[in-house]
Amino acid sequence: MRADARRNYERLVEQARVAFAEFGVDASLDEIARRAGVASGTLYRHFPTRLDLIEVVLGGQVAELVARGRALLAAGGDAGDALATWLRAALTHALTYRGLAAAVMNSAGNSAAAWHAEMFEVGTALVDRARASGAVGADVAGGDVLRLVGAVAWAVRDVEDGDVRAGRMLEIVLKGL
């Protein structure tokens, strides 16, 4: 890719990330192009469909979340704090990009299964480490904890001050672990 095309691509992805977080899956593609400082045709050359753009944005966000979890695992330190830090980041991700994940999961040939597996791998490793250190109960399973985080995000999807409530609900989950 030429340098100018790469810059346009990166600006489009960044503006899409912002717009999807702000307006959800139905954010205006023309507005994304305008914010990126390119013509709509440039957006469509890079991303022929809305789903193509959603997959790139969501894939990047999932990769950042997984990398953060792996960094917390590698850093050592307090296993309970590492788990809580990552679960808060996972909840923020779920609240911010929930409409995008649903769009990708409902498409054929999507990457959602691989992303899901990576997130569960990292999350389970963090739970296992916290369990081994005694920071969480011996019967706590990683998959259950991650599903609880998803349930918290789902429970506040149409609630005023949902982010605040979700944070409080996650703190209850963390105390229960």
Side-chain angles (χ1 to χ4, degrees), residues 58-59 61-67 69-70 73 83 86-87 89-95 97 101 111-127 142-143 145-147 149-150:
L58 189 57
Q61 297 308 113
V62 169
E64 286 181 21
L65 183 59
V66 168
R70 289 185 178 139
L73 285 166
L83 175 62
W86 192 79
L87 291 176
L91 178 61
T92 298
H93 169 83
L95 292 169
Y97 297 104
S111 306
W115 299 335
H116 189 260
E118 281 186 292
M119 287 178 55
F120 267 67
E121 175 191 322
V122 168
T124 297
L126 286 161
V127 170
V145 173
L146 295 175
R147 286 179 188 89
V149 171

Side-chain angles (χ1 to χ4, degrees), residues 58-174:
L58 189 57
Q61 297 308 113
V62 169
E64 286 181 21
L65 183 59
V66 168
R68 185 168 188 189
R70 289 185 178 139
L72 287 164
L73 285 166
D78 184 279
D81 288 345
L83 175 62
T85 296
W86 192 79
L87 291 176
R88 288 182 188 107
L91 178 61
T92 298
H93 169 83
L95 292 169
T96 303
Y97 297 104
R98 64 180 150 236
L100 298 173
V104 171
M105 290 180 77
N106 290 328
S107 70
N110 66 64
S111 306
W115 299 335
H116 189 260
E118 281 186 292
M119 287 178 55
F120 267 67
E121 175 191 322
V122 168
T124 297
L126 286 161
V127 170
D128 290 347
R129 187 169 145 237
R131 187 176 50 245
S133 76
V136 302
D139 60 343
V140 174
D144 293 343
V145 173
L146 295 175
R147 286 179 188 89
L148 278 169
V149 171
V152 167
W154 181 85
V156 300
R157 70 190 180 288
D158 295 322
V159 176
E160 189 175 323
D161 78 338
D163 291 356
V164 172
R165 286 185 176 193
R168 286 195 313 252
M169 292 168 74
L170 181 60
E171 293 308 312
I172 293 168
V173 170
L174 291 170

Side-chain angles (χ1 to χ4, degrees), residues 1-8:
M1 194 179 288
R2 293 184 338 244
D4 61 329
R6 169 57 65 193
R7 278 191 306 275
N8 288 343

Side-chain angles (χ1 to χ4, degrees), residues 22-91:
E22 190 175 345
F23 301 109
V25 72
D26 295 323
S28 166
L29 297 183
D30 289 336
E31 179 63 16
I32 291 169
R34 188 192 65 71
R35 287 180 178 188
V38 301
S40 294
T42 301
L43 182 143
Y44 289 108
R45 270 192 301 281
H46 287 291
F47 307 101
T49 69
R50 176 180 297 274
L51 185 59
D52 292 329
L53 183 56
I54 289 170
E55 283 192 6
V56 168
V57 169
L58 189 57
Q61 297 308 113
V62 169
E64 286 181 21
L65 183 59
V66 168
R68 185 168 188 189
R70 289 185 178 139
L72 287 164
L73 285 166
D78 184 279
D81 288 345
L83 175 62
T85 296
W86 192 79
L87 291 176
R88 288 182 188 107
L91 178 61

